Amino acid sequence: MHKTLVAAAIAATLALSGCSSTTPTQHSNVEMVQTQNPFLQASKLQYEAPDFTQIKDEHFQPALERGIKEHYQEILTIANNPQAATFENTIVAMEKSGTLLNRTSKVFYNLTGSNSNPELRRVQGEMAPKMAAHSDNINLNPELFKRIETLYNQRAELGLSAEESRLVEVYYKRFVRAGAKLTEEQKQQIRVLNEEQSTLTNEFAQRLMRQTKEIAVIIDNKAQLAGLSDSAIKAAAIDAKANGHEGKYQLNITNTTRQPVLTQLEDRELRQQIWQASANRGLEGENETASLVARLAQLRAERAQLLGYDNWAEYRLEPQMAKTPEAVYKMFGSMVPAVVKNTQKEAADIQSMINKTGGNFELAPWDWAYYAELVRKEKFDLDEAAIRPYFEFDRVLEDGVFFTLKALYGVTLKPRPDLPVYHEDVKAYEMFDEDGTSMAIFYADYFSREGKRGGAWMSSFVTQSELLNSKPVVVNVMNIKKAPEGEPTFVSYDEVTTMFHEMGHGTHGMFSKVTYPTLSGTAVSRDFVEFPSTFEEDWAAHPKVLANYAKHYETGEPIPQELLGKLLKSRSFNQGFDTLEYMSAALVDLEWHTLKAGAPLQDVASFEAAALKKHGVDLAAVPPRYKSAYFAHAFPGGYSASYYAYMWSEILAADAFAYVQTQGGLDREIGMKFRKTIREVGNTVAPMDAYKAFRGQEPTTEALLERRGLN
């Protein structure tokens, strides 16, 4: 994920919001002192890393509310300054404002995604409209915008540096896109829409988390679990007992349509039960989300119309690299025929395997993963069970992910067990540059648990900024199933690449060398932010990297060359399925967000079916990676009309990785060039300019097709 869904939620709350224009709620200093709130001052830990030994749930709401009040007063002082607008007294002053709110919200929104509980969810629900109103009170302040607009119009004559000039442009466009140029009546309409959107997106996220627990599949008979490893069965028993089902087995549902466990389960009825629990969630019941999808699509279309756009996708894509929905539709449209053809061939191979192994049925979605694994074993003579002992979690992290960072970028990560963490499974590290200079604090939170939403993401507790003299404090979050106590945790190859991917986001934040926090780290366009992380994925398969981490967990022997060769050769296997399920989700996202204002509420299932048919991707056995009712990226998250960004960024990543292999491969010189031209510059440089500074030209799609085995 990527620029984190948590970070995206913060950005959406602070930049999209709404409510009436009122002075924020005030809380007395006496009340704050009585709570001994640790957020009232900067943490004394290195780089102001959060002191989780002091932070309690009851600290968040009063600190957030006081933070809103203080920030609002700072903004009013800037807006009403009688002196003429200058870069220093307006833009820099805004960059320095909101310290308490920023400090508190960074921790709060990270924990609501990674370590939530009923109290945090209550606070999140109460604060959503308040944060929305606060954002509108800033973005729609006419006096403040007048100062920003003055600087924008004069920027060529102000003697600004390139970074300063870009910052002025970013501020101006942000305010205009928030509605700063609307009439007062239109601004009030925006506020109302923003308030409802903020409330609904928060409710969507909370219902998704509640769904995860209620749709878990409980199994009475251990025999139904045939195909799972002893360790996986033991973990299922532990999960069942923890949730009041002693003597039974619990299989949890991840936040994608496809479920990893379907690769192994032999019982077809159980596979169908699991798949249906996944695919049909959110359509009905107390925690249904389908109605929220339909209303959010309406709200966004109405907001886009007020701002002068035909639809939400047009509004969202204007500042991105893609620029228009038409460009995205064209990108996918050019790929659909080849992808569908490839997928149909894969389906035919799987149906043949079903027939050959005595199955008297037609391929269904819950069959694909299981029989695809049999096809892969036959086609590549590759057994997933034979591979797993070579992918032990700690070795992948330290000898794979960390090894690559040192080889390419000269950095090392050292454990910091003295730093407090928010859960016992989280580990803290400090990053050092090649000359020994300390660069950042990194938290590794890789294991699934109750209270953590599905998926994988990166976020920041502290953002890098030379203006604020702040060093980055970054976290990577995943949902790897942890082995029972005393047993090694093995990861699939998909999880291996996700670990590399999220560290790509992490180093985008940790390598940042930018003056202003608004332009720092991963604060780039949606269809560029996935580029550095996707680029990092491919190092997982680089021969030198694999040789360093793919070792047997007991003997330390490297993975046999024959087995390794089969693994690498099989990387293009099932790419039709992988590509089509992703494209289908991205196209559904765009269809929802190209609805025009005034369109009626849509029936979710019917709308999805029509969207897939329209684009020729309606293969029954290959549903979208995310269906609308649990599409966290597109609805509660920050990727509305932007899920296409993964493919757009992959074009850049594949092209860049292919280029690097011509320049020495796993080589410090080319790695440092990538670090300096891409990772260090944040949003101080236009995305394509940054890419061309590294690559020397714009990308082509040739490497992407080769990467996915579709050429």
Side-chain angles (χ1 to χ4, degrees):
M1 197 192 75
H2 327 350
K3 186 166 179 188
T4 119
L5 285 183
V6 174
I10 296 172
T13 301
L14 294 176
L16 277 180
S17 9
C19 197
S20 59
S21 179
T22 57
T23 302
T25 306
Q26 298 188 15
H27 286 257
S28 68
N29 290 338
V30 173
E31 179 186 348
M32 294 296 289
V33 170
Q34 285 175 341
T35 65
Q36 297 181 327
N37 199 306
F39 290 113
L40 290 180
Q41 52 275 319
S43 167
K44 292 181 172 57
L45 298 178
Q46 185 175 350
Y47 304 152
E48 299 185 15
D51 189 347
F52 292 108
T53 64
Q54 303 297 316
I55 296 169
K56 296 181 173 59
D57 289 349
E58 61 263 28
H59 293 143
F60 287 110
Q61 188 161 0
L64 288 167
E65 291 182 339
R66 177 163 168 175
I68 288 173
K69 176 191 171 185
E70 290 183 0
H71 191 206
Y72 183 70
Q73 294 302 323
E74 290 171 328
I75 292 299
L76 288 181
T77 298
I78 297 167
N80 299 326
N81 187 342
Q83 297 180 354
T86 66
F87 180 79
E88 192 70 29
N89 70 18
T90 302
I91 303 298
V92 173
M94 291 181 71
E95 290 290 278
K96 291 180 176 179
S97 68
T99 300
L100 173 59
L101 181 59
N102 187 58
R103 178 191 303 138
T104 310
S105 63
K106 289 273 193 182
V107 179
F108 178 69
Y109 287 110
N110 271 297
L111 294 191
T112 57
S114 61
N115 206 40
S116 189
N117 59 49
E119 173 60 14
L120 291 184
R121 291 192 285 273
R122 181 196 66 78
V123 174
Q124 190 176 12
E126 287 194 20
M127 290 307 302
K130 295 179 182 181
M131 294 286 274
H134 178 57
S135 179
D136 279 342
N137 289 339
I138 296 172
N139 293 331
L140 302 179
N141 183 305
E143 297 305 317
L144 182 61
F145 177 64
K146 192 179 298 181
R147 298 178 72 86
I148 294 170
E149 186 174 37
T150 296
L151 294 172
Y152 177 78
N153 291 335
Q154 298 175 352
R155 66 192 185 283
E157 292 82 45
L158 295 178
L160 302 176
S161 68
E163 182 177 346
E164 291 167 344
S165 182
R166 184 161 179 82
L167 183 61
V168 171
E169 293 171 1
V170 167
Y171 263 100
Y172 175 76
K173 291 175 182 177
R174 176 191 294 175
F175 272 68
V176 170
R177 288 172 55 77
K181 287 191 169 185
L182 298 179
T183 66
E184 287 306 312
E185 180 182 357
Q186 290 171 323
K187 287 180 180 179
Q188 185 56 35
Q189 290 176 277
I190 285 285
R191 289 177 183 275
V192 172
L193 293 173
N194 285 348
E195 180 182 13
E196 186 178 358
Q197 175 166 296
S198 176
T199 300
L200 292 184
T201 52
N202 177 69
E203 180 63 20
F204 198 124
Q206 297 207 20
R207 290 188 190 184
L208 274 185
M209 196 170 287
R210 292 195 292 268
Q211 284 174 19
T212 301
K213 187 172 184 179
E214 70 183 23
I215 65 175
V217 175
I218 306 300
I219 295 96
D220 296 320
N221 186 356
K222 182 179 178 180
Q224 287 184 278
L225 301 178
L228 296 187
S229 67
D230 290 341
S231 178
I233 293 173
K234 183 178 178 181
I238 292 171
D239 285 346
K241 182 178 180 180
N243 287 286
H245 303 288
E246 188 164 6
K248 299 184 180 182
Y249 305 88
Q250 177 171 313
L251 296 179
N252 298 314
I253 305 297
T254 61
N255 197 47
T256 52
T257 305
R258 185 197 333 188
Q259 297 298 305
V261 73
L262 297 182
T263 304
Q264 299 139 25
L265 284 171
E266 297 173 9
D267 189 314
R268 187 171 191 244
E269 288 187 6
L270 180 56
R271 292 202 307 268
Q272 180 176 358
Q273 183 183 355
I274 291 168
W275 186 88
Q276 289 178 335
S278 173
N280 297 330
R281 76 185 97 168
L283 295 178
E284 56 186 23
E286 183 181 354
N287 289 311
E288 64 85 17
T289 46
S291 63
L292 303 183
V293 169
R295 180 57 183 149
L296 281 166
Q298 274 190 334
L299 284 172
R300 289 166 176 171
E302 291 169 19
R303 188 172 185 270
Q305 183 183 56
L306 273 173
L307 292 167
Y309 296 85
D310 283 345
N311 53 62
W312 183 253
E314 185 180 285
Y315 166 79
R316 286 279 287 166
L317 269 62
E318 182 188 53
Q320 308 299 315
M321 295 183 76
K323 300 300 181 189
T324 67
E326 291 72 26
V328 179
Y329 281 131
K330 182 178 179 181
M331 175 185 74
F332 284 131
S334 68
M335 298 178 66
V336 163
V339 172
V340 169
K341 182 178 179 181
N342 195 300
T343 309
Q344 289 172 332
K345 183 179 183 306
E346 292 172 357
D349 289 343
I350 291 172
Q351 186 65 59
S352 294
M353 179 60 72
I354 292 172
N355 299 340
K356 183 170 29 173
T357 54
N360 185 26
F361 52 81
E362 186 176 344
L363 171 64
W366 47 87
D367 299 316
W368 190 292
Y370 180 77
Y371 286 95
E373 186 60 25
L374 296 183
V375 172
R376 180 164 72 157
K377 285 180 182 178
E378 180 179 80
K379 193 170 184 177
F380 299 100
D381 190 22
L382 184 66
D383 184 353
E384 187 71 30
I387 296 172
R388 289 181 70 82
Y390 295 94
F391 294 130
E392 190 273 324
F393 169 78
D394 288 322
R395 182 161 271 155
V396 172
L397 180 63
E398 294 170 14
D399 296 343
V401 178
F402 292 175
F403 166 79
T404 305
L405 296 185
K406 184 172 184 180
L408 284 174
Y409 313 117
V411 299
T412 56
L413 285 99
K414 298 180 181 179
R416 287 290 306 273
D418 57 305
L419 288 175
V421 293
Y422 55 87
H423 188 275
E424 61 183 7
D425 283 343
V426 180
K427 290 187 178 181
Y429 297 84
E430 185 173 357
M431 177 180 279
F432 294 90
D433 213 341
E434 192 166 22
D435 63 1
T437 303
S438 177
M439 298 174 65
I441 299 296
F442 172 71
Y443 293 92
D445 181 3
Y446 287 110
F447 301 118
S448 60
R449 58 176 170 270
E450 188 173 340
K452 180 188 282 191
R453 63 176 176 78
W457 64 91
M458 164 267 181
S459 192
S460 299
F461 288 113
V462 181
T463 300
Q464 180 274 331
S465 166
E466 293 177 1
L467 174 72
L468 304 180
N469 195 30
S470 60
K471 293 286 186 74
V473 179
V474 165
V475 59
N476 273 180
V477 187
M478 285 182 62
N479 273 279
I480 295 169
K481 183 69 176 178
K482 190 177 182 182
E485 188 69 31
E487 297 184 24
T489 295
F490 300 117
V491 290
S492 68
Y493 188 70
D494 282 346
E495 288 170 331
V496 171
T497 58
T498 302
M499 290 170 69
F500 276 80
H501 179 103
E502 295 307 330
M503 185 56 81
H505 284 303
T507 50
H508 201 175
M510 291 188 285
F511 287 166
S512 180
K513 294 180 70 173
V514 169
T515 302
Y516 302 102
T518 290
L519 303 177
S520 178
T522 57
V524 297
S525 68
R526 279 277 182 259
D527 49 13
F528 189 77
V529 75
E530 297 298 335
F531 157 43
S533 53
T534 306
F535 170 85
E536 204 70 18
E537 281 183 36
D538 283 354
W539 292 109
H542 190 278
K544 290 182 181 178
V545 177
L546 264 169
N548 203 63
Y549 75 84
K551 298 178 180 179
H552 197 279
Y553 77 103
E554 289 181 317
T555 67
E557 290 295 314
I559 187 169
Q561 282 300 312
E562 183 182 4
L563 186 59
L564 176 59
K566 293 175 183 177
L567 171 63
L568 295 178
K569 190 176 179 181
S570 73
R571 288 182 68 215
S572 62
F573 177 74
N574 217 37
Q575 280 298 308
F577 178 96
D578 290 345
T579 306
L580 187 62
E581 67 157 6
Y582 160 75
M583 289 172 58
S584 298
L587 288 164
V588 167
D589 170 36
L590 276 176
E591 286 296 318
W592 276 116
H593 293 112
T594 49
L595 286 172
K596 292 182 180 294
L601 287 170
Q602 304 291 315
D603 175 78
V604 168
S606 299
F607 184 87
E608 279 183 356
L612 297 174
K613 185 175 183 179
K614 173 182 174 181
H615 294 284
V617 293
D618 53 335
L619 274 66
V622 189
R625 183 172 298 173
Y626 301 97
K627 292 193 173 188
S628 303
Y630 48 95
F631 204 161
H633 290 75
F635 291 100
Y639 279 68
S640 59
S642 300
Y643 192 59
Y644 80 91
Y646 289 94
M647 183 67 76
W648 194 279
S649 293
E650 190 180 349
I651 293 171
L652 301 173
D655 186 73
F657 191 82
Y659 167 70
V660 165
Q661 304 320 302
T662 69
Q663 305 297 308
L666 193 71
D667 176 78
R668 181 70 52 79
E669 183 177 352
I670 191 64
M672 290 302 292
K673 183 180 180 183
F674 190 81
R675 171 178 161 180
K676 292 183 181 301
T677 56
I678 302 295
R679 298 192 192 276
E680 291 184 358
V681 300
N683 194 26
T684 62
V685 180
M688 189 54 76
D689 290 343
Y691 187 82
K692 288 192 291 187
F694 169 69
R695 177 69 172 89
Q697 64 181 52
E698 293 190 6
T700 68
T701 60
E702 293 175 12
L704 170 67
L705 295 174
E706 183 174 344
R707 184 180 194 265
R708 286 186 169 255
L710 300 174
N711 55 354

